[in-house]
Amino acid sequence: MEHDALVYKVAKKFRQHLHGYDLEDLMQEGRLAVIRAQETYCPEKGSFVNWAYPIIQNAIMRMLHIVCRVFWVKCLQMQGLLTQFPLGETVQIYN
């Protein structure tokens, strides 16, 4: 892909937040964001790199936010601080 260098530049800033995922996962999310950026790009707004950079950054941060939330819920379940109800509702119990 032609914008892999841009995606790599953004993805490597988030290396410390990988939580078991490798850089390629972030790169894939960034590549999907480039496709979304290409669909919404308007040449009158400036260069494509300036347009795509925040879109790529937001997509990677959204992915990491979801991953961290799942990790946090799993930790609470393992510690017995989180109980699941039959309808899928999650309630936190403090001791």
Side-chain angles (χ1 to χ4, degrees):
M1 216 168 165
E2 64 185 68
H3 297 290
D4 271 349
L6 174 63
V7 172
Y8 178 75
K9 180 181 177 181
V10 176
K12 74 178 183 178
K13 292 184 177 184
F14 294 97
R15 272 192 185 155
Q16 71 242 18
H17 305 290
L18 290 179
H19 296 291
Y21 290 82
D22 58 354
L23 189 61
E24 187 59 37
D25 293 328
L26 298 183
M27 293 281 294
Q28 187 63 33
E29 194 66 32
R31 289 182 190 114
L32 292 173
V34 167
I35 293 170
R36 284 194 299 273
Q38 287 172 339
E39 293 171 354
T40 60
Y41 175 59
C42 179
E44 292 86 32
K45 300 280 185 178
S47 72
F48 179 75
V49 172
N50 291 337
W51 177 265
Y53 190 89
I55 295 173
I56 296 167
Q57 192 173 25
N58 287 337
I60 291 174
M61 286 191 316
R62 192 176 322 113
M63 177 201 162
L64 289 173
H65 177 72
I66 291 168
V67 167
C68 290
R69 181 170 285 246
V70 168
F71 179 76
W72 178 76
V73 168
K74 293 284 185 193
C75 288
L76 288 177
Q77 285 175 340
M78 288 172 49
Q79 293 173 0
L81 300 175
L82 199 68
T83 22
Q84 278 290 353
F85 285 87
L87 297 176
E89 303 169 13
T90 304
V91 176
Q92 187 168 354
I93 299 173
Y94 294 97
N95 292 336

